[in-house]
Amino acid sequence: MSNVELDELRARLDEINGQLLELISERAGIVQEIGTLKEKQGVPKFDPEREKAMLDKLVASNKGPFTSGTIRTLFKQIFSASLDLQSTEHKKSLLVARKNHAEDTVITLPGNVTVGGLSSLMVAGPCSVESELQTRTVAAALQKAGVKVMRGGAFKPRTSPYDFQGLGMDGLRILREAANEYGLLTISEIVDPRHIEEALDYVDVIQVGARNMHNFELLKAVGEVNKPVLLKRGLSATLDEFVHAAEYIMSRGNMEIILIERGIRTYEKATRNTLDISAVPILKQECHLPVLVDVTHSTGRKDILIPCAKAALAAGADGIMVEVHPDPATALSDAAQQLNIEEFNTFFNEVKASGLYR
């Protein structure tokens, strides 16, 4: 074969490659249209019977020189890429997606306290509200340290039904009174949609806990109120599931959502959970919402809270959540992982001294 013939064949290959690219791109456009229609109809994007029928038809039409197995492999790759394209477009179309909101969302709480933006936020307080004295003692310490937002559990979903379940509405009242006395804002978890309306008088931020991240009726309910929502990642939730939980809230009209990474359940036993530090930059890249990290629940170890808080801030977190109790040894929940007041002051001072806390 002469060089002229070789060049002609190569030119023909280049031409066919261009035609194939045009056809694949045209196919991709049709796939995107199908994905949009399926989403509107609530139909699953992947249809295994349809894929099998297409592959069987292609194999039956195959005249070689590729084998039937090769044809199946080539087109399954195209089908897989098409399905990925549908998923990618769906994620980009979400209300929480950065594509639709390039700027970071900054949430302004009462007293001009901001979540996100140029300043970091420290959220601290007891795992459970146990008494007026306990809550007021923590509130006083937080005010002295310069903390603006206090957390405190009034409704406590526990693994065992015999463990302390919280003081309910009395706990919210105690939290609110202590916060008012010391000029603090409040965050507390609500577990039942029926409690939301009454709870609005007591909390500045509604928390949806890890065990309720998939409680879709609760997500819808908090999406319909005019109050910021702190959404915790579920114990075994993927980031995609986490983002879609936030979408449930935002789809109902509430645009003020704070995401919080609190560790996920893995096989590792050295910590209570496994802090997924990579979740922070991924969420910041794909979503426009502020992201906090709960270093207490993610580690369950007081001895590593400081480096984990620094790592979270270095990864781009907008703030930290940590648990504080006047006497952790007597705490009615999570006794081993809560800091006492002196330990919290050391923790906060070291985090601020790192230069990572803005």
Side-chain angles (χ1 to χ4, degrees):
M1 180 181 293
S2 67
N3 287 338
V4 174
E5 291 176 305
L6 184 60
D7 289 342
E8 288 177 350
L9 290 173
R10 285 173 171 170
R12 179 61 181 145
L13 275 182
D14 290 341
E15 183 181 347
I16 293 173
N17 286 339
Q19 293 171 347
L20 285 173
L21 178 59
E22 287 184 12
L23 288 171
I24 290 175
S25 298
E26 182 180 351
R27 187 186 191 283
I30 295 171
V31 165
Q32 288 177 312
E33 290 184 37
I34 291 173
T36 301
L37 289 174
K38 283 185 173 181
E39 189 168 338
K40 289 179 179 178
Q41 297 171 4
V43 178
K45 289 187 170 60
F46 178 59
D47 185 345
E49 292 184 4
R50 167 67 177 160
E51 180 172 301
K52 182 178 183 302
M54 287 192 293
L55 287 172
D56 289 344
K57 186 175 181 179
L58 287 163
V59 168
S61 302
N62 179 34
K63 297 178 181 179
F66 287 128
T67 65
S68 295
T70 301
I71 292 296
R72 286 184 181 276
T73 299
L74 288 171
F75 277 90
K76 284 187 79 169
Q77 285 291 105
I78 293 173
F79 297 165
S80 177
S82 299
L83 190 62
D84 288 343
L85 186 64
Q86 286 183 343
S87 299
T88 301
E89 286 304 307
H90 168 71
K91 287 182 71 174
K92 288 181 179 178
S93 68
L94 296 177
L95 294 170
V96 299
R98 189 168 287 280
K99 177 184 178 182
N100 298 312
H101 194 291
E103 301 80 17
D104 289 339
T105 288
V106 178
I107 298 172
T108 303
L109 303 178
N112 206 33
V113 175
T114 58
V115 189
L118 299 178
S119 60
S120 302
L121 181 72
M122 179 63 66
V123 179
C127 175
S128 300
V129 174
E130 300 167 358
S131 69
E132 292 185 4
L133 177 60
Q134 170 239 22
T135 309
R136 290 179 68 254
T137 301
V138 174
L142 296 182
Q143 181 203 49
K144 186 177 180 180
V147 174
K148 301 294 185 182
V149 184
M150 179 168 65
R151 58 144 294 142
F155 297 93
K156 300 297 298 181
R158 308 297 298 280
T159 301
S160 170
Y162 306 111
D163 288 339
F164 178 61
Q165 303 288 311
L167 299 179
M169 285 298 168
D170 282 340
L172 289 183
R173 175 187 57 78
I174 292 170
L175 181 67
R176 180 77 270 167
E177 290 176 355
N180 286 348
E181 182 177 355
Y182 291 97
L184 305 176
L185 303 179
T186 60
I187 293 178
S188 195
E189 179 176 0
I190 305 302
V191 300
D192 190 327
R194 294 171 297 180
H195 296 151
I196 291 174
E197 186 174 354
E198 187 177 357
L200 294 178
D201 293 331
Y202 300 105
V203 297
D204 296 298
V205 178
I206 297 172
Q207 177 178 308
V208 175
R211 288 172 174 81
N212 274 304
M213 193 208 82
H214 276 136
N215 184 340
F216 300 118
E217 294 308 311
L218 180 61
L219 297 177
K220 293 174 187 176
V222 299
E224 293 174 356
V225 299
N226 185 26
K227 187 79 72 170
V229 176
L230 179 75
L231 177 65
K232 283 198 165 188
R233 183 181 180 182
L235 281 71
S236 302
T238 65
L239 290 179
D240 187 61
E241 291 168 333
F242 189 25
V243 167
H244 276 83
E247 187 74 7
Y248 261 93
I249 299 171
M250 193 167 284
S251 69
R252 291 302 177 109
N254 191 339
M255 312 303 283
E256 296 192 317
I257 304 167
I258 306 162
L259 303 177
I260 183 162
E261 161 63 29
R262 47 82 65 203
I264 52 177
R265 180 172 291 166
T266 69
Y267 55 80
E268 181 55 63
K269 299 298 183 183
T271 53
R272 175 176 175 175
N273 293 292
T274 297
L275 173 55
D276 183 6
I277 205 70
S278 65
V280 177
I282 292 173
L283 290 171
K284 296 290 289 183
Q285 179 175 303
E286 296 188 0
C287 301
H288 54 84
L289 303 173
V291 178
L292 307 185
V293 171
D294 180 344
V295 292
T296 297
H297 285 94
S298 59
T299 66
R301 291 180 52 165
K302 296 196 288 186
D303 59 331
I304 61 171
L305 293 184
I306 292 172
C308 287
K310 291 178 182 179
L313 293 169
D318 296 294
I320 301 295
M321 177 180 279
V322 66
E323 290 186 344
V324 185
H325 192 286
D327 184 13
T330 65
L332 297 179
S333 59
D334 289 350
Q337 66 186 31
Q338 297 191 68
L339 298 173
N340 63 34
I341 291 170
E342 182 180 353
E343 290 169 335
F344 170 72
N345 287 331
T346 299
F347 166 83
F348 195 22
N349 288 335
E350 291 206 24
V351 170
K352 289 187 292 185
S354 69
L356 296 166
Y357 189 87
R358 306 187 299 272

